């Protein structure tokens, strides 16, 4: 199983933006990465190939982190585990939880 650098970055930003607010991201990126590693996840960096593959990605979803996850799922290939239903509209193997 993999954890993307995009996921850790997204968690970090959401935590920093929401500090002190109810319903904000309850975990830092550092802690999310540590938990993923302790659960046996391997790190998936963002490669130049991932970035270049975004050229042809349809604009179904605007979030840049989610778009990178979609590309990584296509390029690797890998399953994408998400709670974001619109991501399943892309031609990837998405598991919506």
């Amino acid at each position: 199983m993999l954890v993307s650098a995009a996921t850790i970055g997204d968690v970090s930003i959401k935590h920093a933006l929401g500090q002190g607010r109810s319903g904000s991201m309850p975990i830092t990126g550092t802690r999310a990465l540590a938990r993923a590693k302790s659960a046996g996840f391997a790190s998936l960096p963002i490669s130049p190939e991932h970035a270049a593959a975004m050229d042809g990605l349809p604009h179904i979803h605007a979030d840049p982190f989610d778009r990178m996850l979609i590309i990584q799922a296509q390029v690797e290939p890998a399953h994408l585990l998400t709670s974001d239903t619109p991501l399943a509209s892309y031609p990837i193997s998405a598991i919506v939880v």
Side-chain angles (χ1 to χ4, degrees):
M1 293 200 295
L2 303 167
V3 62
S4 173
T7 297
I8 302 304
D10 196 22
V11 168
S12 294
I13 289 170
K14 287 179 178 172
H15 179 77
L17 291 175
Q19 283 183 334
R21 291 191 317 207
S22 177
S24 66
M25 179 60 69
I27 188 171
T28 64
T30 301
R31 184 170 241 173
L33 179 58
R35 286 187 179 179
K37 285 184 174 184
S38 71
F41 285 73
S43 296
L44 176 60
I46 297 170
S47 72
E49 290 77 18
H50 294 141
M54 293 183 75
D55 285 345
L57 188 65
H59 288 281
I60 297 169
H61 204 287
D63 183 282
F65 288 102
D66 288 340
R67 292 175 62 78
M68 180 54 69
L69 293 172
I70 292 160
I71 286 299
Q72 287 183 309
Q74 287 178 342
V75 170
E76 289 311 310
H79 299 291
L80 177 61
L81 183 64
T82 183
S83 62
D84 194 342
T85 307
L87 297 185
S89 300
Y90 285 93
I92 59 169
S93 178
I95 301 167
V96 180
V97 293

